[in-house]
Amino acid sequence: MSNQKVREGEALPEVALKKYLQEIKLINSIESELLVEQFTHGFSNLTYLLKIENKEFVLRKPPKGAIKRGHDMSREFKVQSAVYNAFSKVPKMFGFSDDETILGSDFYIMEKVEGVILNYKEAKQRNISADDYKTIANSWLDTLVELHKVDYNTIGLADLGKPEGYVERQVSNWGKQYIKAKTDEVPEAIMVMKWMDEHQPKKYDHCLIHNDFKYDNVVFKDDSWQEVAAVLDWEMATLGDPLMDLGTSLGYWTVATDHDFVKQGIPSPTIFEGNPIRSEIAQLYAEKSGRNLDNILFYYVFGLFKIAVIAQQIYFRYAKGWTTDPRFANLNKASELCCKLALKAIKTKSID
């Protein structure tokens, strides 16, 4: 995960923040020097690295102009605090505050987990071997299967979501969100929404799901790639169909044979040699989890559409001037691309 100086308009008020850190007993004095860097990873909530008194912490807060859904810091904090008791691969939570006089929004502080985050840039610099990518894919997938086995009742997360009717609600809600954030006419989006409405499964399992599980949302312990130290970005975690989780992961899983525009629009280390193709990932998940994946086409199409909506929502904020991050300028094109890919998968009846 790369980080940089804080972007204009996204700075943190130093004195108020130091007072809070002292209140929750993470530091001894507000006289201590505080260094703040901003993580460039991620397109949603703002993430900062705090360095003070020879310690490092991570702070998460919503962006300016964010609606509560998807940017609910108390929910994210609650989920990770609970999951930590049953699933060791989650950062330790230190404190949550809804006192907006401190930073102007809710926020929370958590442990900084040491390790390697494999975004596209990091992976390219490391020149990872094909054999290593096989290990990476398996470690990553084993972690998803392990997460799907967590008993949400015993860790107090039974009220996190409503698993009954989950798929139907997701298809409906993401469709509504797309229409709400629409800036361009994309006929493929309408066709995909109609197809999902007609082809959604009526029976499915449910469990705790992460909903944004991809290479750059996990921290590998080291470059042996055999162990995941932590799973990050729990903002969309809920109770629902585990194959919806897998479908989103497959949506991000670009491969070397995909069109160049696809690989540029969804840059991922999964394009490098040694990574399984999408159908192989689905097969591996079926073997590791024991679940039936006969309807994987629906889940892949849904995953692509969900990514399309997320990209479109961020572009909508950019178009309104609520964020100036230059990375967001072409996300409407990325959104359109995902809809076209979903329609192609429907027509070819293939996820590869």
Side-chain angles (χ1 to χ4, degrees):
M1 186 188 287
S2 56
N3 40 304
Q4 60 180 20
K5 289 181 179 176
V6 177
R7 285 189 293 265
E8 190 178 341
E10 294 179 355
L12 302 174
E14 186 175 337
V15 175
L17 179 56
K18 286 201 284 194
K19 279 182 181 171
Y20 176 75
L21 292 173
Q22 189 182 38
E23 277 171 25
I24 62 170
K25 299 184 167 48
L26 289 180
I27 63 168
N28 299 311
S29 166
I30 63 164
E31 304 305 317
S32 303
E33 185 185 9
L34 173 66
L35 294 173
V36 179
E37 294 172 12
Q38 190 167 20
F39 289 113
T40 55
H41 162 79
F43 286 81
S44 185
N45 292 319
L46 304 180
T47 310
Y48 302 83
L49 176 64
L50 312 179
K51 298 179 180 181
I52 190 166
E53 295 184 2
N54 294 317
K55 301 169 192 169
E56 293 186 334
F57 309 106
V58 172
L59 181 148
R60 293 262 288 172
K61 71 184 291 293
K64 186 180 177 183
I67 51 169
K68 193 76 169 175
R69 184 180 175 84
H71 301 286
D72 188 337
M73 296 294 102
S74 64
R75 188 176 185 277
E76 209 173 306
F77 182 82
K78 173 191 168 182
V79 169
Q80 289 175 96
S81 300
V83 170
Y84 188 80
N85 298 318
F87 177 79
S88 61
K89 298 165 184 176
V90 65
K92 189 174 183 182
M93 300 292 109
F94 291 131
F96 163 78
S97 177
D98 58 3
D99 181 355
E100 295 191 4
T101 64
I102 302 173
L103 302 188
S105 68
D106 293 4
F107 67 94
Y108 68 88
I109 311 280
M110 65 179 173
E111 165 192 25
K112 179 181 183 272
V113 179
E114 297 299 332
V116 185
I117 294 176
L118 265 193
N119 57 25
Y120 177 78
K121 190 177 174 185
E122 180 75 25
K124 200 170 182 187
Q125 285 172 347
R126 284 177 175 266
N127 201 19
I128 297 162
S129 73
D131 278 348
D132 276 348
Y133 271 119
K134 287 173 187 164
T135 305
I136 288 166
N138 271 285
S139 300
W140 173 85
L141 201 56
D142 285 341
T143 303
L144 183 63
V145 172
E146 184 187 344
L147 172 62
H148 288 168
K149 287 178 180 170
V150 170
D151 184 343
Y152 58 79
N153 285 300
T154 62
I155 57 171
L157 288 180
D159 63 344
L160 185 64
K162 298 172 185 170
E164 301 302 325
Y166 176 77
V167 172
E168 187 180 0
R169 283 197 312 278
Q170 289 296 294
V171 170
S172 171
N173 290 344
W174 284 98
K176 287 174 186 170
Q177 287 180 59
Y178 179 83
I179 299 298
K180 199 173 177 183
K182 191 173 81 161
T183 51
D184 306 298
E185 289 302 325
V186 180
E188 291 88 350
I190 308 305
M191 293 159 82
V192 168
M193 283 190 272
K194 186 174 185 294
W195 183 89
M196 288 193 301
D197 196 48
E198 292 168 356
H199 291 83
Q200 59 185 289
K202 301 298 179 191
K203 290 184 178 178
Y204 43 87
D205 294 338
H206 62 261
C207 63
L208 176 66
I209 60 177
H210 180 271
N211 257 333
D212 199 21
F213 195 82
K214 50 197 173 89
Y215 276 179
D216 62 357
N217 273 343
V218 303
V219 183
F220 287 94
K221 190 172 182 181
D222 52 44
D223 61 7
S224 73
W225 312 114
Q226 291 176 2
E227 190 178 337
V228 168
V231 177
L232 307 175
D233 286 8
W234 291 77
E235 62 203 63
M236 291 193 283
T238 190
L239 308 181
D241 183 347
L243 299 188
M244 295 287 253
D245 218 357
L246 180 64
T248 300
S249 298
L250 291 171
Y252 285 116
W253 197 276
T254 49
V255 295
T257 53
D258 285 334
H259 191 282
D260 281 349
F261 190 49
V262 176
K263 290 183 279 191
Q264 289 160 12
I266 311 173
S268 170
T270 53
I271 67 163
F272 296 121
E273 187 185 352
N275 282 289
I277 59 174
R278 286 183 286 268
S279 58
E280 288 170 339
I281 281 290
Q283 183 59 36
L284 278 169
Y285 179 87
E287 290 166 8
K288 290 172 187 289
S289 68
R291 291 195 166 92
N292 182 302
L293 264 69
D294 287 351
N295 203 7
I296 192 61
L297 179 62
F298 166 82
Y299 293 103
Y300 173 59
V301 167
F302 172 81
L304 281 170
F305 182 72
K306 189 171 94 169
I307 295 165
V309 179
I310 293 167
Q312 184 59 37
Q313 286 175 323
I314 298 168
Y315 178 76
F316 182 80
R317 286 209 332 266
Y318 178 84
K320 290 279 186 187
W322 294 339
T323 176
T324 57
D325 191 326
R327 295 175 304 156
F328 301 164
N330 294 314
L331 284 181
N332 59 327
K333 298 298 178 193
S335 176
E336 183 179 357
L337 170 67
C338 287
C339 293
K340 287 182 173 176
L341 288 175
L343 194 60
K344 179 190 169 193
I346 291 166
K347 287 178 175 175
T348 60
K349 295 189 167 96
S350 171
I351 70 171
D352 287 325

